[in-house]
Amino acid sequence: MTESAYPPISDQLADLESAQEEGRRKMDWAAQHMPILEHVREEFVAEQPFAGERIAMAMHVEAKTAILVETLAEGGAEVAITGCNPLSTHDDVSAALDTHENITSYAKRGVDGEAYYDAIEAVIAHEPTITVDDGMDLVAAIHEDYPELIDGIIGGAEETTTGVHRLRAMDADGALEYPVFAVNDTPMKRLFDNVHGTGESSLASIAMTTNLSWASKNVVVSGFGYCGKGVAKKAAGQNANVIVTEVEPRRALEAHMEGYDVMPMAEAAEIGDVFLTTTGNRDVIVEEHFEKMQDGVLLANAGHFDIEIDLDALDDLAVDRYEARDGVDAYELEDGRRLNVVAEGRLVNLAAPVSLGHPVEVMDQSFGVQAACVRELVENGDAYGAGVHDVPDELDKEIAEIKLEAEGVAFDSLTDTQRDYMDSWDHGT
Amino acid sequence: MTESAYPPISDQLADLESAQEEGRRKMDWAAQHMPILEHVREEFVAEQPFAGERIAMAMHVEAKTAILVETLAEGGAEVAITGCNPLSTHDDVSAALDTHENITSYAKRGVDGEAYYDAIEAVIAHEPTITVDDGMDLVAAIHEDYPELIDGIIGGAEETTTGVHRLRAMDADGALEYPVFAVNDTPMKRLFDNVHGTGESSLASIAMTTNLSWASKNVVVSGFGYCGKGVAKKAAGQNANVIVTEVEPRRALEAHMEGYDVMPMAEAAEIGDVFLTTTGNRDVIVEEHFEKMQDGVLLANAGHFDIEIDLDALDDLAVDRYEARDGVDAYELEDGRRLNVVAEGRLVNLAAPVSLGHPVEVMDQSFGVQAACVRELVENGDAYGAGVHDVPDELDKEIAEIKLEAEGVAFDSLTDTQRDYMDSWDHGT
Amino acid sequence: MTESAYPPISDQLADLESAQEEGRRKMDWAAQHMPILEHVREEFVAEQPFAGERIAMAMHVEAKTAILVETLAEGGAEVAITGCNPLSTHDDVSAALDTHENITSYAKRGVDGEAYYDAIEAVIAHEPTITVDDGMDLVAAIHEDYPELIDGIIGGAEETTTGVHRLRAMDADGALEYPVFAVNDTPMKRLFDNVHGTGESSLASIAMTTNLSWASKNVVVSGFGYCGKGVAKKAAGQNANVIVTEVEPRRALEAHMEGYDVMPMAEAAEIGDVFLTTTGNRDVIVEEHFEKMQDGVLLANAGHFDIEIDLDALDDLAVDRYEARDGVDAYELEDGRRLNVVAEGRLVNLAAPVSLGHPVEVMDQSFGVQAACVRELVENGDAYGAGVHDVPDELDKEIAEIKLEAEGVAFDSLTDTQRDYMDSWDHGT
Amino acid sequence: MTESAYPPISDQLADLESAQEEGRRKMDWAAQHMPILEHVREEFVAEQPFAGERIAMAMHVEAKTAILVETLAEGGAEVAITGCNPLSTHDDVSAALDTHENITSYAKRGVDGEAYYDAIEAVIAHEPTITVDDGMDLVAAIHEDYPELIDGIIGGAEETTTGVHRLRAMDADGALEYPVFAVNDTPMKRLFDNVHGTGESSLASIAMTTNLSWASKNVVVSGFGYCGKGVAKKAAGQNANVIVTEVEPRRALEAHMEGYDVMPMAEAAEIGDVFLTTTGNRDVIVEEHFEKMQDGVLLANAGHFDIEIDLDALDDLAVDRYEARDGVDAYELEDGRRLNVVAEGRLVNLAAPVSLGHPVEVMDQSFGVQAACVRELVENGDAYGAGVHDVPDELDKEIAEIKLEAEGVAFDSLTDTQRDYMDSWDHGT
């Protein structure tokens, strides 16, 4: 294998030193609020679990991810990293990473398609023993173009839903040749990311985009899964009057029992002030609903894709459309009503101009699981066959323990007597 | 088979008419607040699904249960019922039931052991095609003493955890010869019964037993399962300062993320004002904790068994013990501190003198599932082999729909497009 | 003045010793949860502020009041007490009080009118220097029949709204000849008694009377003053869906801004499940509302008088009326709907059969103010002329400090710099 | 009086048309969410209360204020306006206003001191009959330089605390020669602005500045007045664990009774994650507190002035200080701990880079009161003597009514019987 000629970021930047400094500053901010990775890093530094390993990464190279990268490097790994999206890289963070003796960073913002793939190849040229992906770029490139490396690879980890989805398809076709952990869907992630992360950051993004307040607003939350529960709870916590729409009767009943108003969207459309979709499904708010809405309503989406609000239909209905504010498109209807779409109906806690992506603490948890998965691969990789694997329950639990310890929260453990009692009960008489 | 000579309640009561009237009054109260059974009853009256069936029941014969009994009878069944505990029968309700042309009630309060079993035999003598148990008395008696009836039995339903536990053991031994639904553990039940039912009624029982208020109290909730979450949420909703103890790190973290204080019992013991155990485990509060508690604390249990607070140890520590109030035992320690145990550490929302058992709405849901299970047996009994069966998800869902409809709450349903989208997503690309 | 021949309780009871023991037990319970009086008592014991004083009291003689009585006696006062209502006296508590060397208790339950007034005269015969009333019986009797004692009286304290009302009328006529503190309406009392006390105990009383739960119920709260706010907040904290009715626009808006539904009673009547009046006004729920209500609703009142729900009109509408449960009257209308009135529309946290009166902690605060007022009379009585006086702000504040200290809650105090800053701001440039 | 030569904004801007369009767009957004002003405007349009009046205004000329200006102009007034701060003017909004035939706007961003005062003189040159100030610039200039106009002035309104403060000083010296309403301190304003406005916007500003979440954070709120209550309630509503510090015992107790932790700052300093001051006093967080804080804490202020956190002392303690993020200064201490000050300790919901000032709805209420005050001056100006006047209670109430009506919220009104009952109660027996 020929070493790639694609240069690391340090060879590409003009004012390198100031970039490194600025990147380090951003990383310092994140690191202060990532107690799980801090704890994990201390362990890794002491135990050097990755000594001799080469980790290839393709992820969003910004401050939060950078702390994960450093954490792995401090654990003894030689890390090569590039971006997973040409627009999400922060050059300064990339440069700061590249100063670490164990890290080579090829990520650069705004590169063209060719350079993007050159950088991926440059990462692969390090002959990784482990891959960490955010969208399966590395897994795909290795399987297609560098199959000779597969024998040397212990396994990988994949961060995103979509990546996991594609990996499962690959797995189903028998084409996935090493084990990959599906980091996305652990219980801990749902709790942090969906309930608290999505809940809080969606509402704050909308408030800071619109200059409006929540108190007394009729907030229509579509979907009462984890995200919907989070949004509903946090909106009620800001003194909104929450209305829930659902298609699953037990979730509808759960919302009703919490004291929320539950009704069909056709009814909610008439009284809602703000609409927030969290269903993961398409066409949740459609033409018949737009027709009933009040002047001045806000429409936003906290689900993954921008398909929950039927903007095509809204566009057809509208006689005018203009940017009412930075991050808000007003659709004016024939009768003069204005329906205001926030962040183009895309994931509002990421896509609104003022949004900062997931809160630091959320990524700390998610990356904590990543780090634990990488360690699991090194220590017990043999136990996992080629294919997609759920994160072992024990790892998820361990991250919870680390978070609690890092925050100084102690809790009880079962005594032997209690353990015996539970066992006897579980196993029957 | 010889018809039993044991007489129904109507032949046993002196002032029958006034008893019937009083029983009917109690049932009327319950019926007003059981919209699910009301809905189900209307369906049953119209469709007569149980025409020709004979249902044997052994349950707590009080007003709420009586509405289930009537509901089944109105659906065409011939019902014979007796109590499942000699002390839980309300004679007036029993008498009121017995006036129904399709119902024979043998339940009588305070009968001795012989009469108790005579009544069970009297019920069995009706040669049931279906059994409904609360503690598996009927299933046991039939399997032991009347095996010849088993061929004619479509199946049964069991209400309690303990009954289900014993049935599973029987099943494991290959001794259970017809299908029985485990009504106890459906998702709907956890939500209603545990979160809302246990949460609200435990706190109200304690408040009305002690004449104390919740605002500003340090309320220590042990266990953050469904019951614990309910108790914590409702206590916080009364302005208590909630402290959670847990042994499972993810639940501990979940509680911490909700904003509750999480700490080991050894620490909580020093600052708690009220302690409420909901773990289902034993020895949650023990000697080392009693030693640290403040004067005047309340100790109560909302878990099934009275083993969560180690009262033997407390008794050993105490220099005096007396009834401080109706439903409260004060244990006075050597240094003068008084630790107050509510309802003898037994399930506080049932065992406190002022308690009324589960709220009517909770039993409506639980009995709604019972009724649906009985219908399922009649309609699709062949589909279930001998053994313990979980309640089919669809039935549970149907009860949620009925509750929503009965309360006038409408909700959305998936469009074809949405269903297609979900399917395509679930099944991959 | 001839000494009264009316005997103290100890001379009236048959089984005196066991009564004393039982009374002491009840008092012990209360005392454990009255940290303010405990603190005050310690001060009084050390400082003996009432040495040489004779305090006459006419109050509800039950456990909570008894702790106040003891507290005053421990402070050196000679206390004579009788009941303020023939039905509210607990003989055992009265007997327990009477064992104290500084206390003579004449209170006996169920005495006839003559004995009731004989007991008041017996108390007055002790030639009080201070009076403590709950309904101004003592003030009235002294002014009418023993004017010669007035010169020796430093002042008095009155607990109730009604008493204060009558005293103000007397004052307006120039007929009140010594200073009396209006203990009823201090800021602290509103917070404790109205928001938390009334809020929690009203809901618990209704739940334990009806066996119903709050989750998902439409709870209509009439009036959004302190009581209404408390009821609304606590009901929402039990996952009820709270609806507020008001006549004052700013309170209506305040409720709306909290996220509650606000609407006229005529609209709320159609959707409410439970109605709770807290307005202090009459005819809040009347015929036109009854006509629209759903079958099975609960009607209750948390306001002082039983005039908020127009029961006469309901009675006229009803074709039948019967006791649906202990504490619940069902009014059956022509069309079969049943409207259920809890505790006869009287103050529900006192009048429901299961109710225990105000929570102990609430009375601790109220009696703490009483004790402080009595001390104020002894120490600065000269500063107050004949007439009704508000409780000085400083005393109210002091009770807050004592409560905080007693509960181990520390707080900050202003530094000199801060005090200067506040002063400069207040007094202008 | 010579007409000022200072030109209106339309004569100063290059690309006037596009500025007008952009300004109109911003105003449209605000107008959509200002139902009170919309309602008031409709009344004013129909009734023309200000026909013949000339209103001089000096205010922040941005979208929200512009709606007030238009509202007054639509009521028949001839309005002349300029800015009250050279940096707060939006030129596009100013230009859009200036297109109105009844409005002349002189406000231009970034003008120097001379132009600033020339603009004020230009406004005054319109010979106002009413003045509307935000910082008393107009009142001061008129009293000092144009006393001959005072006879023709009916009265004025002043928006800010500081302005009112200075006016009261002027009034105390007998120097204020016409009536001015103190719009700042109405009950409605406290509720909207302080509890909901400050509460929500402070938390959202911090979240969007720091990329952090609230769940499980120890949030220390200093001061439990209206602002503190708002911040505490909204933070708890985001699942923070709220800690309150106070100096007034009754407020401390109120916070304790709500279930919050109450402690001195010296204790809170050790465990807080985020500190938010709302006291209105100075030196709330000082050196001794900084010394105890954890690494990574956030320090922010929601009180009017930047004196609550002693930044000088923090600067002295720090060995390094750098901008950790846009809007966050990190102070690094000798032992490596970093204390992060948000928005330089200035009013965080205004001063953080991402902040948008008060929510639109809050200004709607505040400007609604302004509009009502101006009308009151026109209709009943004779009733008010020279000096500072509180806003009449009735006006404040009327604004609440308008808000409720505008939002479609109906409420009850007293019947004659109820009014009689209240009167009889108030006026005694």
Side-chain angles (χ1 to χ4, degrees), chain A residues 199-415:
Chain A
E200 291 182 30
S201 59
S202 299
L203 298 183
S205 293
I206 294 173
M208 297 309 286
T209 299
T210 62
N211 198 17
L212 298 175
S213 79
W214 294 105
S216 87
K217 291 287 191 304
N218 285 334
V219 176
V220 179
V221 180
S222 288
F224 203 64
Y226 282 92
C227 286
K229 278 171 192 164
V231 169
K233 177 207 288 253
K234 306 280 176 170
Q238 303 290 293
N239 300 99
N241 180 28
V242 173
I243 294 164
V244 172
T245 76
E246 245 300 341
V247 296
E248 214 280 338
R250 287 179 294 192
R251 285 182 172 178
L253 183 51
E254 198 177 348
H256 174 64
M257 294 297 288
E258 290 283 321
Y260 298 127
D261 286 324
V262 176
M263 61 185 74
M265 181 56 81
E267 229 175 276
E270 295 178 20
I271 58 175
D273 296 306
V274 185
F275 297 80
L276 247 167
T277 52
T278 72
T279 68
N281 206 328
R282 60 178 304 139
D283 300 334
V284 177
I285 306 185
V286 297
E287 187 180 346
E288 62 159 320
H289 307 132
F290 299 136
E291 280 168 350
K292 295 173 171 173
M293 288 178 179
Q294 304 177 85
D295 180 36
V297 296
L298 303 181
L299 299 167
N301 168 45
H304 198 77
F305 297 115
D306 59 350
I307 56 174
E308 308 211 8
I309 304 168
D310 186 353
L311 290 184
D312 290 340
L314 183 53
D315 212 28
D316 289 348
L317 270 185
V319 294
D320 191 17
R321 168 180 161 187
Y322 56 92
E323 191 178 53
R325 295 174 69 85
D326 203 18
V328 181
D329 293 321
Y331 290 75
E332 195 171 320
L333 306 188
E334 212 164 0
D335 55 10
R337 283 178 300 131
R338 289 150 297 182
L339 311 191
N340 302 298
V341 176
V342 184
E344 302 169 20
R346 293 185 294 133
L347 196 51
V348 71
N349 63 335
L350 289 170
V354 78
S355 297
L356 298 162
H358 280 304
V360 179
E361 301 92 335
V362 166
M363 297 318 295
D364 184 37
Q365 182 277 339
S366 186
F367 289 151
V369 175
Q370 284 275 20
C373 285
V374 173
R375 182 178 196 145
E376 174 71 4
L377 285 171
V378 171
E379 291 178 353
N380 305 305
D382 297 347
Y384 301 90
V388 178
H389 294 271
D390 287 338
V391 174
D393 215 47
E394 277 310 307
L395 289 193
D396 195 42
K397 221 157 137 178
E398 190 187 298
I399 295 303
E401 281 175 341
I402 290 173
K403 169 87 174 175
L404 288 166
E405 190 181 330
E407 299 225 328
V409 176
F411 61 102
D412 284 315
S413 44
L414 289 175
T415 61

Side-chain angles (χ1 to χ4, degrees), chain B residues 2-3 28 71 85 111 174 217 242 258 261 273 278 295 367-368 387 413:
Chain B
T2 324
E3 169 99 2
D28 279 353
T71 300
N85 178 319
V111 291
K217 291 287 192 302
V242 173
E258 290 283 321
D261 287 323
D273 295 306
T278 73
D295 180 36
F367 290 151
S413 43

Side-chain angles (χ1 to χ4, degrees), chain A residues 25 28-29 32-33 64 196 200-201 203-205 207-217 233-234 237-239 295-296 298 322-325 328 338 340 354-361 407, chain D residues 25 28-29 32-33 64 196 200-201 203-205 207-217 233-234 237-239 295-296 298 322-325 328 338 340 354-361 407:
Chain A
R25 193 174 296 180
D28 279 353
W29 180 258
Q32 276 178 65
H33 302 97
K64 290 167 278 189
H196 296 292
E200 291 182 30
S201 59
L203 298 183
S205 293
M208 297 309 286
T209 299
T210 62
N211 198 17
L212 298 175
S213 79
W214 294 105
S216 87
K217 291 287 191 304
K233 177 207 288 253
K234 306 280 176 170
Q238 303 290 293
N239 300 99
D295 180 36
L298 303 181
Y322 56 92
E323 191 178 53
R325 295 174 69 85
V328 181
R338 289 150 297 182
N340 302 298
V354 78
S355 297
L356 298 162
H358 280 304
V360 179
E361 301 92 335
E407 299 225 328
Chain D
R25 193 174 296 179
D28 279 353
W29 179 258
Q32 277 177 65
H33 301 97
K64 291 166 277 189
H196 296 293
E200 291 183 30
S201 59
L203 296 184
S205 293
M208 297 309 286
T209 299
T210 61
N211 199 15
L212 298 175
S213 78
W214 293 105
S216 88
K217 291 288 191 304
K233 178 207 286 251
K234 307 280 176 172
Q238 304 288 296
N239 300 100
D295 180 36
L298 303 181
Y322 57 92
E323 192 178 51
R325 295 174 70 83
V328 181
R338 288 151 298 182
N340 301 297
V354 78
S355 297
L356 298 161
H358 280 303
V360 178
E361 300 92 335
E407 300 224 328

Side-chain angles (χ1 to χ4, degrees), chain C residues 45-214:
Chain C
V45 165
E47 303 171 15
Q48 296 292 305
F50 308 131
E53 303 297 338
R54 290 179 304 280
I55 302 178
M57 303 179 78
M59 301 191 79
H60 301 290
V61 177
E62 48 73 69
K64 291 167 277 190
T65 316
I67 306 304
L68 170 63
V69 177
E70 275 199 341
T71 299
L72 297 174
E74 302 279 321
E78 187 185 308
V79 182
I81 183 168
T82 184
C84 63
N85 178 318
L87 292 177
S88 67
T89 295
H90 290 221
D91 286 349
D92 44 14
V93 171
S94 183
L97 278 178
D98 201 50
T99 59
H100 194 288
E101 59 174 341
N102 282 10
I103 302 170
T104 314
S105 177
Y106 298 94
K108 187 160 189 304
R109 183 183 185 81
V111 292
D112 61 21
E114 196 185 324
Y116 180 74
Y117 287 105
D118 284 350
I120 287 177
E121 294 196 353
V123 163
I124 294 174
H126 287 254
E127 300 191 357
T129 58
I130 289 165
T131 61
V132 178
D133 258 320
D134 189 310
M136 73 163 280
D137 276 337
L138 292 174
V139 170
I142 287 168
H143 278 73
E144 279 163 33
D145 302 326
Y146 304 93
E148 69 278 13
L149 292 179
I150 288 175
D151 265 1
I153 294 180
I154 309 172
E158 167 61 44
E159 175 79 13
T160 64
T161 308
T162 324
V164 168
H165 202 64
R166 288 166 63 199
L167 284 170
R168 287 198 200 276
M170 208 172 146
D171 193 9
D173 293 346
L176 182 58
E177 293 183 44
Y178 61 79
V180 181
F181 281 122
V183 174
N184 189 61
D185 288 325
T186 67
M188 288 311 309
K189 180 164 189 294
R190 287 213 181 98
L191 179 63
F192 269 75
D193 190 328
N194 298 358
V195 177
H196 296 292
T198 300
E200 291 182 30
S201 60
S202 298
L203 297 184
S205 293
I206 293 173
M208 298 309 288
T209 300
T210 62
N211 198 17
L212 298 175
S213 78
W214 294 105

Side-chain angles (χ1 to χ4, degrees), chain C residues 12-21 95:
Chain C
Q12 300 188 52
L13 285 191
D15 189 358
L16 183 64
E17 212 164 314
S18 91
Q20 286 165 344
E21 201 175 308

